Amino acid sequence: MQKSFIQVEKGSHFPIQNLPYGIFRKQKDEEPRVGVAIGDYVLDLAVLHESGLLKIEGEQDDSSIFRQRYLNAMMEAGSTVWKAIRKQLQQLLDEGEASLRDDMELRERAFTKIDAVELLLPVEIGDYTDFYASKEHATNVGSMFRGKDQALMPNWTHLPVGYHGRASSVVVSGTEVRRPNGQMKPPGHEFPIFGPSKQLDFELELGWFVGHGNVSGEPIRLEEAEEKIFGLVLVNDWSARDIQAWEYQPLGPFLAKSFATSISPWVVPMDALEPFRVQGPKQEPTPLSYLEHKKAAAFDIQLDVSLKGSTMESIETFISTNFKYMYWSMAQQMSHHTINGCNLRAGDLLASGTISGPEKSERGCLLERTWRGEEPITFSNGDKRVWLEDDDEVVMTGYCQGNGYRVGFGEVRAKIAPALEM
Amino acid sequence: MQKSFIQVEKGSHFPIQNLPYGIFRKQKDEEPRVGVAIGDYVLDLAVLHESGLLKIEGEQDDSSIFRQRYLNAMMEAGSTVWKAIRKQLQQLLDEGEASLRDDMELRERAFTKIDAVELLLPVEIGDYTDFYASKEHATNVGSMFRGKDQALMPNWTHLPVGYHGRASSVVVSGTEVRRPNGQMKPPGHEFPIFGPSKQLDFELELGWFVGHGNVSGEPIRLEEAEEKIFGLVLVNDWSARDIQAWEYQPLGPFLAKSFATSISPWVVPMDALEPFRVQGPKQEPTPLSYLEHKKAAAFDIQLDVSLKGSTMESIETFISTNFKYMYWSMAQQMSHHTINGCNLRAGDLLASGTISGPEKSERGCLLERTWRGEEPITFSNGDKRVWLEDDDEVVMTGYCQGNGYRVGFGEVRAKIAPALEM
């Protein structure tokens, strides 16, 4: 197993096998730049490039793609460039490679403790698309809203259902999320009422950034879809269920979702997930040929959701699930997204929809986990939750378990602020 | 009535009362810049500014906001700046004002025939939101899909229903639109099929660009919404009805819309529409207070749709309707959009949804106009249409009729190219 000269604690999310990209700065007034996480450190790629150790193939010899507010410039440089950067980093950080290891002056300038930096929203997002790719999730939600017999719509097993989300309100982990106000129509009311959502929920998802797009009119084929993915993040697709129930017909969720979507700051490269590729669920009926996989296209990623309420002493994990349960693969979602000619662009975010598994403890949102309130969650101090309360902090995390190492996603964390008084 | 020294033909869309903004270039390799339409001419604002005649308040003395690929820099300069620019232009172009009128050398450099320039997509669009604000349209479509009794969903009269659209595929007038491929499930089929859409449609809409946004968490109040609008364009929201019918439940339209949305190149300032403000339809029940208007908030804008098929000799108008029919106002749509705290940003596009009136000839899409195919349209050479055919050209246009002048939108025009063979 490859090791770095940077010490990586057992259980760390960021060994040399991972090397996720992020945007960081040390001080508010400092120019942001691209960094890579290794152990407890962020490695400054601008500094590393300027030292001459890191080279950019086929580019002018400057570090401008690393001196950026967003990763988009690096994405637009193309996958040959990202792949070459990753390869060099895995070499430069290796325990047996002296060039960086033994240059203490450079190490001093290039590495900073992650705890000491501010991590910013890593990507300037063009369009954000959210899917609905978990069969367990779609079945559970459908059962609650339309009854067991009509749980899955007839289209669900034939195509990855998706919809456009709101890009402007995607925020990075740590950003406070304000409880939304809105219209809802509680049972028994003749008219809708206005006020703070009383059914605030999260949705545990994974998202991926398009690195390479496609030209309008020219679909991305299933076989080439994965190559176009730059990397993945954790996504918390906050949802106000009472607003959603009232507004969503017939055009889908809108204000129930658009107030905020939180993502983790580190973008895990697609290549880092390759060892964790597994066969997804059997697809029956067989999808139409443009969606028919010839190879395994699911990924074994363990995911957890934890919560800390203001009266709880410590944070408690109450959902543990896995990305491998997803019925539709990332490649199928991307290929379907473009089959009509729709163009994806570098920086677009696609997300999976709530990730749920077959067990109760594997259901990735409160709506399902509490079965719309029928089965409240009880925490160890006796606190109960059906929906989120003000000051609740929700933390999602995830990793792939390798042999002696973990490729992790870090976390996406946010606290609920009270609704604006209106 | 104010007149310009630039001759404006009777019926022209671009008198001195209008002065819409666009982005143009004279040659492919030329740097694009901001222009204003007057009569048959585009006036180059960069040249006008550099001449010293046009001043930008509170800005450095350079023309960088006019030397841009998009109008966003001008939007971001703030409404004080746009309003000051418009005021100066209306003064400089006045027939009684000598400074520009008598400077033939400057006029030579500053004016170009619109026919001789390329008009580009005027705005870099962040998020695109599409509403469903015509009661006639929602009732007609609902009747066809769900029967007359359930035509309008219970929420429709309480809130402006909307959904997120696709920003990447918004294109400027003149861009060819390729018929999309996709999944559909024709009546009588047990399984869905894949192929070119057979029910390609347009939707006549108006769209408006946010000039000023709002901070996340702080809604735009109804009274301040109109001030935040930079200007309006014609929108053709292309729709593949067979793809839509199969995919849209439960999360709304997705690939049926995302292949292309066409807009007109000239952005008509909100101020130019002020004389055409009228009372909209009575809203019953009275909306919740955050949506309750104290003043007239509809606009009298005449709109037409024309079509030319490849075997037709000339283009024929077959839909004439009006923006004043819209049940929900632009201000209501914006205010509702942000009531949950969702942030709008300069450059975001909001569109009205299909604009239909009470008469058959006032229905703004083929789905309604042909009542889902039951009543084909017959053109004067005998050609019939239920849905769009390859090589059909669709043209939408619109204007406000003033006393002796028109404030017009120009047109949004596009031709249908055959589907990609797959």
Side-chain angles (χ1 to χ4, degrees):
Chain A
M1 190 186 87
Q2 194 192 4
K3 284 194 173 165
S4 173
F5 58 84
I6 298 289
Q7 201 205 323
V8 175
E9 308 258 347
K10 197 175 142 67
S12 166
H13 281 199
F14 307 131
I16 195 167
Q17 288 79 6
N18 189 352
L19 303 183
Y21 299 105
I23 298 288
F24 76 101
R25 61 182 172 199
K26 295 187 206 171
Q27 283 142 22
K28 279 274 172 224
D29 57 352
E30 194 191 56
E31 172 201 50
R33 69 270 311 277
V34 176
V36 152
I38 174 93
D40 296 335
Y41 291 89
V42 50
L43 169 58
D44 185 328
L45 294 197
V47 167
L48 194 64
H49 180 266
E50 283 153 17
S51 77
L53 287 183
L54 177 64
K55 290 174 179 59
I56 306 172
E57 262 182 82
E59 281 287 309
Q60 299 153 278
D61 193 21
D62 70 38
S63 61
S64 65
I65 69 168
F66 301 128
R67 294 196 173 274
Q68 292 280 340
R69 170 62 191 86
Y70 295 106
L71 293 172
N72 298 56
M74 201 173 139
M75 292 170 165
E76 280 156 15
S79 64
T80 320
V81 172
W82 335 322
K83 281 178 194 281
I85 291 170
R86 179 171 168 80
K87 200 175 158 191
Q88 291 175 77
L89 290 173
Q90 285 195 319
Q91 211 155 19
L92 288 168
L93 288 165
D94 189 90
E95 59 183 349
E97 166 70 33
S99 53
L100 178 58
R101 185 191 67 200
D102 296 348
D103 187 339
M104 294 313 288
E105 186 276 328
L106 177 58
R107 282 178 59 170
E108 189 67 32
R109 284 188 296 123
F111 289 94
T112 313
K113 281 263 189 181
I114 293 177
D115 287 352
V117 304
E118 183 189 5
L119 292 166
L120 304 172
L121 186 73
V123 177
E124 185 167 25
I125 300 166
D127 282 288
Y128 161 42
T129 305
D130 199 18
F131 285 88
Y132 192 55
S134 157
K135 192 169 183 179
E136 288 82 0
H137 172 68
T139 306
N140 287 338
V141 173
S143 300
M144 285 182 260
F145 283 88
R146 289 178 298 271
K148 227 171 176 176
D149 295 341
Q150 291 179 21
L152 277 192
M153 292 287 181
N155 57 16
W156 200 93
T157 51
H158 295 281
L159 53 82
V161 170
Y163 67 106
H164 304 295
R166 179 83 195 170
S168 73
S169 54
V170 177
V171 295
V172 74
S173 177
T175 309
E176 206 175 54
V177 169
R178 187 175 270 184
R179 179 183 298 274
N181 286 300
Q183 276 195 37
M184 52 216 106
K185 191 161 170 287
H189 281 244
E190 189 186 352
F191 291 105
I193 58 167
F194 178 80
S197 167
K198 291 187 173 59
Q199 301 186 348
L200 186 57
D201 199 356
F202 56 79
E203 293 193 337
L204 167 65
E205 306 193 8
L206 275 170
W208 56 101
F209 286 107
V210 176
H212 271 312
N214 60 309
V215 174
S216 180
E218 297 181 12
I220 297 173
R221 317 251 158 197
L222 193 62
E223 314 80 66
E224 58 180 357
E226 285 179 1
E227 292 161 33
K228 304 221 170 222
I229 300 176
F230 180 81
L232 283 77
V233 289
L234 296 160
V235 175
N236 182 343
D237 178 33
W238 303 97
S239 300
R241 301 300 182 188
D242 38 8
I243 296 174
Q244 187 175 355
W246 173 234
E247 76 171 358
Y248 91 104
Q249 283 187 312
L251 301 183
F254 181 44
L255 302 188
K257 304 272 192 174
S258 65
F259 57 99
T261 303
S262 302
I263 66 171
S264 54
W266 293 111
V267 184
V268 175
M270 195 63 193
D271 282 345
L273 300 179
E274 195 50 51
F276 309 99
R277 183 185 291 277
V278 292
Q279 192 68 49
K282 185 168 165 56
Q283 296 187 313
E284 196 142 9
T286 303
L288 283 161
S289 65
Y290 76 96
L291 291 174
E292 197 184 347
H293 268 300
K294 301 276 182 283
K295 65 170 185 177
F299 292 87
D300 184 353
I301 306 174
Q302 176 62 42
L303 297 157
D304 295 320
V305 184
S306 312
L307 183 143
K308 186 182 174 309
S310 57
T311 54
M312 285 165 64
E313 270 181 26
S314 59
I315 189 156
E316 290 181 35
T317 301
F318 63 106
I319 294 170
S320 291
T321 187
N322 199 301
F323 193 50
K324 72 182 176 192
Y325 294 134
M326 302 308 275
Y327 189 87
W328 295 105
S329 70
M330 293 186 282
Q332 285 173 323
Q333 291 167 66
M334 278 177 85
S335 187
H336 182 65
H337 199 324
T338 61
I339 195 66
N340 66 344
C342 178
N343 56 322
L344 302 184
R345 296 180 293 190
D348 286 350
L349 175 63
L350 281 71
S352 61
T354 306
I355 301 164
S356 292
E359 302 300 321
K360 272 191 188 181
S361 60
E362 293 175 322
R363 294 174 183 164
C365 62
L366 287 172
L367 175 67
E368 285 176 84
R369 188 71 181 74
T370 72
W371 206 256
R372 215 179 184 179
E374 286 175 21
E375 303 170 23
I377 295 154
T378 307
F379 293 96
S380 57
N381 71 339
D383 276 17
K384 286 182 195 299
R385 284 294 179 283
V386 167
W387 307 110
L388 294 173
E389 298 187 359
D390 290 348
D391 298 320
D392 278 356
E393 191 163 26
V394 179
V395 180
M396 295 172 178
T397 184
Y399 60 85
C400 305
Q401 184 63 57
N403 193 355
Y405 68 95
R406 283 180 174 178
V407 167
F409 286 80
E411 62 177 30
V412 56
R413 168 190 297 264
K415 206 171 194 175
I416 304 301
L420 189 73
E421 282 190 44
M422 296 195 68
Chain B
M1 189 186 86
Q2 193 191 6
K3 284 193 173 166
S4 173
F5 59 84
I6 298 290
Q7 201 203 325
V8 175
E9 308 258 348
K10 196 175 144 66
S12 166
H13 281 199
F14 307 131
I16 195 167
Q17 288 78 7
N18 190 352
L19 303 183
Y21 300 105
I23 298 288
F24 76 102
R25 62 183 170 197
K26 296 187 204 171
Q27 283 141 20
K28 280 273 171 223
D29 57 352
E30 195 191 55
E31 172 200 51
R33 69 270 312 277
V34 176
V36 151
I38 173 91
D40 296 334
Y41 292 88
V42 50
L43 169 57
D44 185 328
L45 295 195
V47 168
L48 194 64
H49 180 266
E50 283 152 18
S51 78
L53 287 182
L54 177 64
K55 289 175 180 58
I56 306 172
E57 263 182 82
E59 280 288 308
Q60 297 153 278
D61 192 22
D62 70 39
S63 60
S64 64
I65 69 166
F66 301 128
R67 294 195 174 274
Q68 292 280 341
R69 170 62 191 87
Y70 295 106
L71 292 171
N72 298 56
M74 202 173 138
M75 293 170 163
E76 280 156 15
S79 64
T80 320
V81 173
W82 334 323
K83 280 177 193 284
I85 291 170
R86 179 170 168 81
K87 200 175 159 193
Q88 290 175 77
L89 290 173
Q90 284 195 318
Q91 213 155 18
L92 289 168
L93 287 165
D94 189 88
E95 61 183 349
E97 166 70 31
S99 53
L100 177 58
R101 185 192 67 200
D102 296 348
D103 187 341
M104 294 312 287
E105 186 275 329
L106 177 58
R107 282 178 60 172
E108 189 67 33
R109 283 187 297 124
F111 290 94
T112 314
K113 280 265 190 178
I114 292 177
D115 287 352
V117 304
E118 183 189 5
L119 293 166
L120 304 173
L121 186 73
V123 177
E124 186 168 23
I125 300 166
D127 280 289
Y128 161 43
T129 305
D130 199 20
F131 285 89
Y132 193 54
S134 158
K135 193 169 183 178
E136 288 81 0
H137 171 68
T139 306
N140 288 337
V141 173
S143 301
M144 284 183 260
F145 283 87
R146 290 178 297 271
K148 226 170 174 173
D149 295 341
Q150 291 179 20
L152 277 191
M153 292 286 179
N155 57 16
W156 200 94
T157 52
H158 296 281
L159 54 81
V161 171
Y163 67 105
H164 304 294
R166 179 83 196 170
S168 72
S169 54
V170 177
V171 294
V172 73
S173 177
T175 310
E176 206 176 55
V177 169
R178 186 174 271 183
R179 178 183 299 274
N181 286 300
Q183 274 196 37
M184 51 215 106
K185 191 161 170 288
H189 280 244
E190 190 188 351
F191 290 104
I193 58 167
F194 177 81
S197 166
K198 291 187 172 59
Q199 301 186 349
L200 186 57
D201 199 356
F202 54 80
E203 293 192 336
L204 167 65
E205 307 193 7
L206 276 169
W208 55 99
F209 286 107
V210 176
H212 272 313
N214 61 308
V215 173
S216 179
E218 296 180 12
I220 297 174
R221 316 251 159 198
L222 194 62
E223 316 80 67
E224 58 179 358
E226 285 179 1
E227 292 161 33
K228 305 228 169 215
I229 299 175
F230 180 82
L232 283 77
V233 289
L234 297 161
V235 175
N236 182 343
D237 178 31
W238 303 96
S239 301
R241 301 301 183 188
D242 37 9
I243 296 174
Q244 188 175 354
W246 173 234
E247 76 170 0
Y248 91 104
Q249 282 186 315
L251 301 183
F254 181 45
L255 302 189
K257 304 273 192 173
S258 64
F259 57 100
T261 303
S262 301
I263 67 170
S264 54
W266 293 111
V267 184
V268 175
M270 194 63 194
D271 282 344
L273 300 179
E274 195 50 50
F276 309 100
R277 183 185 292 277
V278 293
Q279 193 68 47
K282 185 169 164 56
Q283 295 187 313
E284 198 145 4
T286 304
L288 283 161
S289 65
Y290 76 97
L291 291 174
E292 197 183 347
H293 268 300
K294 301 277 181 285
K295 65 170 185 178
F299 292 87
D300 184 354
I301 306 173
Q302 175 63 43
L303 297 157
D304 295 320
V305 183
S306 311
L307 183 143
K308 188 183 173 304
S310 56
T311 55
M312 286 165 64
E313 269 181 26
S314 59
I315 191 156
E316 289 181 35
T317 300
F318 64 106
I319 295 170
S320 292
T321 188
N322 199 300
F323 193 50
K324 72 182 176 193
Y325 293 134
M326 302 309 274
Y327 188 88
W328 295 105
S329 71
M330 292 187 283
Q332 287 173 321
Q333 290 166 67
M334 278 177 84
S335 188
H336 182 65
H337 199 324
T338 61
I339 195 65
N340 66 345
C342 178
N343 57 321
L344 302 184
R345 296 180 292 190
D348 285 350
L349 175 63
L350 281 70
S352 61
T354 307
I355 301 164
S356 292
E359 302 300 323
K360 270 191 190 182
S361 60
E362 292 175 324
R363 295 174 182 164
C365 62
L366 287 172
L367 175 68
E368 285 176 85
R369 188 73 181 73
T370 72
W371 207 255
R372 216 181 185 180
E374 284 175 22
E375 304 170 23
I377 296 153
T378 307
F379 293 96
S380 57
N381 71 339
D383 276 15
K384 286 182 194 298
R385 285 292 180 284
V386 167
W387 307 110
L388 295 173
E389 298 186 1
D390 289 348
D391 298 320
D392 278 357
E393 191 163 24
V394 179
V395 180
M396 297 174 176
T397 184
Y399 59 85
C400 306
Q401 184 63 56
N403 194 355
Y405 68 95
R406 283 180 174 176
V407 168
F409 286 80
E411 63 176 30
V412 56
R413 169 190 294 264
K415 206 173 195 173
I416 304 301
L420 189 73
E421 283 190 43
M422 297 194 65

